[in-house]
Each structure stands twice: as structure tokens, then as C-alpha cells.
Amino acid sequence: MLVLAGTELTLRFVQTRLSRDLIHIQQIPEAVARVSQSEKLRVLFLGNSLSREGIDLQLFQSLMSQKQDIAAAQLFPDDTSILDWLGVYQHFVANQQYEIDLLILSFAENQLQDDSPINIRRLAQHFTDWSAALGLFQREEFSFDMCAEFTLAKLFASYANAERVRVRILDWIVPYYHASAEQINAVSSNRKPMRKHQPTYNRLKQLMDVVQSSGTEMVVVAFPVGDEFVLDPELVQLLQQEDVLFVDARHIKGITKRSFPDGYHMNDEAAQVMSRYLARVLKEHEFAHRSVKTLREIE
């Protein structure tokens, strides 16, 4: 018990040193509060490492300011997908009653589908309140094992971050472990059989309901990756039905297969091309939010 208690206390004090992802997660509340309190057009990017590497926020803000000033922030916890993004928005924005004018949700491949992977420990530790846990269990139909894992991760930082600790230790003692693991994972993902069932988007629907109920407008962006992925027509139809602006950025002039050094994330040059493209699309779109109209009337 003393060893376990000591491990728990140690990890609670040093967990931000385990990865820059944990540092970013701890900075999310401050970033959302800063944007929400601004009198400019309040914009949040929500995604994962794709948007972290694929959007030059300073360039995007500069280009958007040519039409009107914006206050923007990026939320990009690593290796996240739709259930995590739903948790992030509810936990850090909706539950705090922060007002955001525009939410830009970025994705690739199957990250908006209900069958995208779930990291229960991360979801419990960082993106869910105790008050929302029971509803999450019922809505997602968690098994007893999943509920137990969620509870342990919510209670103990040492349990929630066990995988991060394992990876750091292997990085220290095994030469080229990180690069080799990424290559093995890439090969394994390419060998996965094609899905035969029709994907569903219940989590995305819930996120859209939460976002739109607060008067926030939403934009969904399909990001390019090294290997082209196919868009599900049902997804595009759903976004159209919900009156959500969809930006298909999978094929942008200036972004090629060479723009992805690791096969997945954009390099700096591609990120600038992506930022310019997205800023141009958004400047051409007429948003209906009240604060946007007010700013245009003033201009």
C-alpha cells in the first residue's frame, strides 16, 4: 500500500513530464476561457495531432483578420476521436457555460464513426466529470469491466497513465522503440479487413446537439493524410441535414504524399497551405451567428 501510495503521489506531481500531450490537456481550460472572454469572433479548433501539425494558428488568425478579428485556440489531445471530442467539449466548454461562436472539428478516416477506438482511461481521467459518468455508461453500454476500468482511471493517476509510463520506460531502454512501434502499427492498420457493416454517427449527432444548443456554429473539416481515405456518403448527408458546413480538404493543391514525413502528419509547408485554404473557405462563408452579424454591421 505504501508503494502504491508513493507511486500515485509521484505521478500526480510529475505526470506533465510524461508527454507534451498532458501539458496541453492541462492548458485547455485556460485556452477556452481566454477565447470565451474575448469580444472578437471566438473560434475553437477541436481535433487531434492532425490539426496540431496541420494548422498554423498564427497564420490562420492573420488571414481571417483581413475580414474580421478573431480570438482562436486549438484543442488537440493526441490520438483522440469522436467520443473524446464529445467529452472535451462537454467537460471544458458546455459544462463551464463558455460561449464560443465557431467550432471547427477536424477529422480523418473513421474518427467520426461510432466504432472508432475508445481510450477509457484517458476519457475518465481528463474528459469526463463524475456527474456525467453514469450517463456515459448507459449511453455507450459499457460492460462491467469497462466501468471498472473507467472508475479506477478516474480515481488513480497511476492507473490512468500506466501506458504513458510504459512507453517512456521502453523509450529509455529499447533503442529506436518509438519509431519501430509506429512502423509496426502502420503495417498492422493497413492489414485490417474492410468493414462490412454500415457505420453509425450517434456520438457525432450528440456533439452537434450540444454545440448547436448553445448557439455555436459548427464546421467539420476532412483533413488530408498520407494515404487517401474514402468519405462515407451517409456522413456528408448527415452534416447537410444538420446544416453543418462541411469542408472536404482531402485534395488541396500544394499538398502531396511528400507533405507527410511520417505518412500521417503534415509538414510545416503543407500546414501553411492548409491554413490558407481553410481561412479562404471560411471567409467566403456567411455565418449566421449574432455576434458575427453585429461585427459586420459595425464595419
Side-chain angles (χ1 to χ4, degrees), residues 18 23 25-26 30 44 54 81 85 89 117 129 137 153 161 163 165 188 203 226 242 265 290 296:
L18 294 175
I23 296 176
I25 291 173
Q26 288 200 350
E30 180 182 354
L44 275 185
S81 57
W85 298 332
Y89 192 86
D129 294 324
F137 295 166
N161 294 301
E163 179 64 17
V165 173
S188 300
R203 296 168 183 166
E242 296 293 330
H265 300 95
R290 184 174 302 173
R296 287 179 181 158

Side-chain angles (χ1 to χ4, degrees), residues 47-293:
N48 49 33
S49 57
L50 281 179
S51 58
R52 181 190 69 214
E53 302 298 331
I55 291 293
D56 184 328
L57 189 61
Q58 185 173 359
L59 175 60
F60 177 82
Q61 287 180 292
S62 174
L63 294 170
M64 290 293 290
S65 66
Q66 296 172 6
K67 185 169 186 178
Q68 74 180 81
D69 290 335
I70 70 169
Q74 288 179 288
L75 314 183
F76 44 73
D78 281 346
D79 196 27
T80 49
S81 57
I82 184 60
L83 185 59
D84 302 292
W85 298 332
L86 173 59
V88 168
Y89 192 86
Q90 286 183 316
H91 185 63
F92 294 111
V93 183
N95 290 353
Q96 307 302 322
Q97 297 184 341
Y98 285 136
E99 294 184 358
I100 300 298
D101 297 322
L102 181 63
L103 176 71
I104 303 175
L105 180 68
S106 58
F107 79 100
E109 300 174 330
N110 70 329
Q111 293 170 357
L112 292 183
Q113 298 176 8
D114 290 335
D115 60 355
S116 56
I118 302 175
N119 186 323
I120 295 178
R121 299 187 189 190
R122 179 183 55 208
L123 184 67
Q125 177 76 192
H126 302 295
F127 308 146
T128 310
D129 294 324
W130 279 115
S131 58
L134 182 58
L136 177 67
F137 295 166
Q138 295 174 340
R139 185 177 68 249
E140 296 295 328
E141 298 181 347
F142 278 5
S143 65
F144 176 81
D145 290 346
M146 296 170 73
C147 293
E149 184 176 6
F150 181 98
T151 303
L152 288 172
K154 191 68 178 169
L155 290 172
F156 302 108
S158 53
Y159 184 80
N161 294 301
E163 179 64 17
R164 296 183 191 269
V165 173
R166 184 185 70 84
V167 171
R168 287 299 298 269
I169 292 174
L170 289 173
D171 272 340
W172 289 334
I173 65 177
V174 179
Y176 308 108
Y177 167 77
H178 193 73
S180 301
E182 286 185 346
Q183 292 178 8
I184 293 171
N185 289 337
V187 172
S188 300
S189 63
N190 290 335
R191 293 179 177 175
K192 290 180 180 179
M194 296 294 292
R195 297 182 180 86
K196 295 183 179 180
H197 65 277
Q198 180 63 37
T200 57
Y201 299 95
N202 294 319
R203 296 168 183 166
L204 175 60
K205 291 177 184 176
Q206 185 177 3
L207 176 58
M208 290 190 294
D209 289 342
V210 174
V211 171
Q212 294 172 345
S213 65
S214 61
T216 302
E217 294 201 55
M218 187 172 176
V219 176
V220 175
V221 184
F223 263 49
V225 290
D227 293 324
E228 183 180 350
F229 61 95
V230 178
L231 280 176
D232 179 15
E234 295 291 332
L235 170 61
V236 179
Q237 183 179 0
L238 171 63
L239 296 174
Q240 291 175 343
Q241 291 174 349
E242 296 293 330
D243 198 24
V244 171
L245 175 62
F246 173 63
V247 180
D248 186 358
R250 293 175 301 157
H251 311 103
I252 300 177
K253 185 178 180 181
I255 299 180
T256 66
K257 200 172 182 66
R258 295 182 180 179
S259 302
F260 305 88
D262 61 359
Y264 196 69
H265 300 95
M266 288 182 244
N267 57 24
D268 292 341
E269 291 77 14
Q272 292 183 8
V273 173
M274 179 69 186
S275 302
R276 292 181 184 278
Y277 173 81
L278 187 57
R280 184 173 70 251
V281 171
L282 295 182
K283 285 194 294 184
E284 293 174 354
H285 184 72
E286 293 295 324
F287 293 103
H289 196 280
R290 184 174 302 173
S291 63
V292 180
K293 288 183 177 179

